[in-house]
Amino acid sequence: MNVPLPDVPEVRVVGLPQLTSGFDLVDRLDLAMHLKVHGPLEPQTGERLAELADAISLRGRGGAGFPFGQKLRAVAKSAIRRGVRPVVVINGSEGEPACRKDTVLLNRAPHLVLDGALLAAEALGARTLIIGLTRNSTESSIRTALSERGLSDRRGQRLRARIVRTPERMVSGEASALIRAADGGPALPMGRRSRASDSGVGGAPTLLSNAETFAQLAVAARTGPRRYGHTGLYNEPGTVLLTLSGAVARPMVVEAPTGVPLRYVLQLAGAPSAPQGVLTGGYHGNWIDAAAAHDAAVSRESLAALGGALGAGAILPIGQDTCPLGEALRVANWLAAETAGQCGPCKLGLPAAAGGLSDVLNGGGPAALEALREVTQAVRGRGACKHPDGSARFFASTLSAFTDDLAAHVLGGGCGRETLGVLPLPMPGYTEESLATGEKLAVDWTLCQGHGLCADLVPELIRLGADGYPALADASVPVHLRGRAQRAVRRCPALALRIEQPPAEQRPSRSALPGSDRKALGSGRS
C-alpha cells in the first residue's frame, strides 16, 4: 500500500485559526496578503521577547520541546560574553515521512515563520539568518518570500539571509546536522553533544528552532500573552499543528487548540472508531491503545500521562485489519536505513534491532524476543545523536503496546493478519542515500561456513546469529550500501554470498530517477 504524504496535504482547523489564518482565502499568503491577515509586527527587546515566550510557555515544536525563552537568553548571554554576533536558524528540515506541518507553514504561510525569526534576530542583534529546508516546494516558497522582503545573502546588507538544503533524511533535521550543513559540511550529526547557544554556525552562538516555533512566536507577539492564552489550556496555551496519516480517510494537517480531545481530531481525519493503536509523536514517538486515544487530549502533558508523546506532532492510527508488528517492522527497517553511520549504536544496533523484530515475527520464539529487548536496551543513551534513542523508544513502545499480537507471534503461528503498509514511508528513490536498487543479498547455505566476514563489511544488512552464521537483517540493498555489499560478495571465502537481481519488470526506472541517482546506479559507487 504505502502512499506517501503529499508535500502540502489538506489543512483543517478546530476552532479559530491562528497559524493558518488566511488559508481559506488563498493557497499561499504573499507579503501583502500576510500583512492584511496578520497585521504589522513591532520589534521587541531580547528580554521582553524572552518574557513573552515564558508567559505563553512556548516550547520547541520540533520534538524536543525545549523552552524557547531559556534558549533565547542563553544565546544572548553567550553572545555578550564573547562579544560576537549570534546567528538565527530556522529548522524547516522535515525529513520524517509522517510529518508535514512545517512544510505546510513554509509553503502557505512563509512570512509568519520569517516574522518570528526576524523578530528574534532583531532582538539578539544577529546579522545572519539561515533557513534549513529539505524539499523543492519549500525552497521555492521561501526564496519568493525572501525576495518579497528584499532579503538576500549579499554583502553589505544589515541582515544576510540564506537557504541551506539538506537531504530528506531523519538525521538531517537534527540541530547539529543542520549547523554542520550550514558550515559547508555534510548534513550529519556532529558526533559530540554541544550547545548551539554556545557554539553553532561558524562557531557563533546560534538560536536554532523549528519553523512552527517561530510562527507561534510571531502570533504571540501580535496578540500579546493575555489574548494568546485565551486559546487552549492554561499551562499549554495556544494551538498546535498535527499531521494525521496512517489509517485515515484523508491525511491532513490540523491546527487545534491544546486540550481538544484527540478522538475528535482523529474523527476529523476519518480514522477508525476503535483503532488498534495510535502512534503519537511520529517514528521517534510512542504507541497508545484505543482506550488511551479515547481519553487523551491534544497536549504534551495529557499524552505523556497516557504513555504517548506530542513530539513533532505526527499522529498515526492503525486499524484492526493490519498486523501492528508488521507495520512496526517496516518502520524499523526504515529507521535502521536512516542511520548516519557514525557510531556503533546507530550503525550496528538499529539494523540488529530491526533484524530482531523480524526474527520475532518469523517464529524466533522467546529467545528472539529476549534478544530484541537486549539490543534495544543496549542502543539507548549511547548514540552520537538522538536517532538511536528515538528509535529505541519506538521499539520499546511497540513491544509494550501490542502484547497480544506479540504473544501470538512468539508462542504461536502469528496473528493471522497481513501487513497492509498503512504507515507512510518514502517511495524508493526519494534520495540517493536510501534509493532501493531492487537487488537483494542472499546466502547459499550449502556453501556458507560461518566465517562472518560479510557481517563485518555490511553490518547494516547482515548480522551474525547465535550460531555464528549470518542472519539477514534487511537483505534489500540500497544504493549507498551497494559498494560494500558487492565487496562482501567478492570477499566471501566460501563464495556463499551473492546479490540477486530483481525481475526486469520490478527494476527501478532509470529515466524516472534524478540525474545524480541515475549516475549512482550506472557507476555502482557507494
Side-chain angles (χ1 to χ4, degrees):
M1 186 174 167
N2 187 29
V3 179
L5 292 176
D7 273 14
V8 185
E10 176 185 356
V11 178
R12 299 288 295 272
V13 182
V14 178
L16 297 176
Q18 292 189 4
L19 301 173
T20 60
S21 292
F23 281 23
D24 58 333
L25 303 175
V26 292
D27 288 336
R28 179 184 179 276
L29 279 73
D30 60 15
L31 184 57
M33 180 60 74
H34 167 74
L35 292 174
K36 285 181 182 178
V37 170
H38 292 284
L41 186 61
E42 296 295 326
Q44 299 189 26
T45 65
E47 183 54 35
R48 186 176 175 186
L49 199 61
E51 290 174 353
L52 171 64
D54 292 342
I56 64 170
S57 302
L58 181 60
R59 291 177 172 268
R61 301 301 177 91
F66 195 82
F68 185 84
Q70 186 176 336
K71 185 184 296 186
L72 188 67
R73 289 189 181 94
V75 172
K77 183 178 179 180
S78 182
I80 293 170
R81 184 182 71 251
R82 295 176 52 192
V84 297
R85 295 276 188 183
V87 176
V88 174
V89 178
I90 300 171
N91 190 352
S93 299
E94 205 165 36
E96 184 172 343
C99 293
R100 288 294 184 273
K101 66 182 183 66
D102 292 327
T103 301
V104 163
L105 278 178
L106 293 166
N107 272 282
R108 300 196 61 182
H111 289 286
L112 194 63
V113 179
L114 289 175
D115 273 351
L118 293 172
L119 196 65
E122 179 71 19
L124 291 169
R127 294 291 179 262
T128 302
L129 172 65
I130 294 172
I131 307 101
L133 304 170
T134 56
R135 298 186 174 92
N136 291 332
S137 61
T138 51
E139 180 177 357
S140 175
S141 177
I142 289 297
R143 285 198 184 280
T144 301
L146 293 176
S147 177
E148 289 170 346
R149 288 177 180 257
L151 294 173
S152 71
D153 196 26
R154 294 178 182 175
R155 292 183 179 180
Q157 292 198 115
R158 189 165 182 268
L159 177 74
R160 297 177 64 177
R162 63 186 173 96
I163 291 171
V164 173
R165 279 293 295 267
T166 60
E168 195 173 330
R169 298 192 61 196
M170 191 78 157
V171 294
S172 300
E174 203 264 345
S176 68
L178 181 51
I179 290 171
R180 197 173 175 185
D183 283 336
L188 297 173
M190 293 180 182
R192 54 182 174 81
R193 303 293 173 89
S194 61
R195 293 181 180 177
S197 58
D198 293 330
S199 179
V201 177
T206 299
L207 177 69
L208 185 149
S209 209
N210 167 265
E212 185 192 343
T213 312
F214 283 116
Q216 294 283 2
L217 183 68
V219 169
R222 284 182 167 92
T223 63
R226 184 181 181 88
R227 182 177 161 196
Y228 185 95
H230 289 167
T231 301
L233 301 169
Y234 77 94
N235 59 336
E236 294 182 43
T239 64
V240 295
L241 286 180
L242 304 172
T243 309
L244 280 91
S245 62
V248 297
R250 299 177 305 280
M252 61 179 60
V253 168
V254 177
E255 181 181 13
T258 56
V260 167
L262 179 62
R263 63 180 181 275
Y264 179 78
V265 177
L266 290 170
Q267 290 170 4
L268 195 65
S273 56
Q276 187 174 184
V278 179
L279 182 58
T280 60
Y283 295 157
H284 277 178
N286 293 337
W287 289 98
I288 59 176
D289 59 21
H294 182 273
D295 296 338
V298 176
S299 79
R300 290 182 185 277
E301 186 175 300
S302 174
L303 286 169
L306 293 167
L310 183 59
I315 306 294
L316 302 101
I318 60 171
Q320 300 286 345
D321 52 348
T322 189
C323 172
L325 299 183
E327 295 287 346
L329 178 60
R330 294 176 59 250
V331 176
N333 285 328
W334 178 80
L335 289 170
E338 287 296 284
T339 171
Q342 298 184 132
C343 67
C346 201
K347 182 179 179 180
L348 305 178
L350 296 188
L357 183 56
S358 178
D359 288 346
V360 170
L361 263 70
N362 292 320
L369 178 59
E370 184 59 31
L372 172 58
R373 285 179 169 146
E374 286 180 4
V375 71
T376 300
Q377 184 62 36
V379 164
R380 188 178 289 116
R382 297 173 55 234
C385 70
K386 295 295 185 182
H387 182 52
D389 288 351
S391 301
R393 182 163 50 248
F394 173 81
F395 281 106
S397 175
T398 299
L399 296 182
S400 63
F402 302 109
T403 53
D404 290 345
D405 291 88
L406 193 62
H409 282 278
V410 171
L411 303 176
C415 65
R417 286 170 290 188
E418 295 183 4
T419 300
L420 301 180
V422 298
L423 299 181
L425 291 173
M427 293 295 287
Y430 79 109
T431 66
E432 180 180 344
E433 295 299 323
S434 60
L435 179 65
T437 63
E439 299 170 339
K440 290 188 174 183
L441 278 176
V443 177
D444 185 337
W445 299 110
T446 64
L447 298 176
C448 181
Q449 298 175 10
H451 292 93
L453 184 60
C454 55
D456 291 334
L457 291 171
V458 273
E460 297 90 344
L461 304 179
I462 302 174
R463 58 196 175 83
L464 296 182
D467 57 0
Y469 281 77
L472 301 182
D474 182 0
S476 299
V477 181
V479 163
H480 73 291
L481 293 178
R482 194 184 200 190
R484 282 199 279 140
Q486 291 172 336
R487 196 175 307 125
V489 170
R490 291 194 300 267
R491 294 187 180 181
C492 177
L495 303 179
L497 190 67
R498 66 180 184 273
I499 294 179
E500 294 183 340
Q501 299 293 330
E505 65 273 12
Q506 295 180 15
R507 294 175 189 171
S509 170
R510 293 165 66 92
S511 61
L513 300 174
S516 61
D517 291 341
R518 292 198 301 270
K519 182 178 179 182
L521 282 171
S523 64
R525 65 179 173 87
S526 59

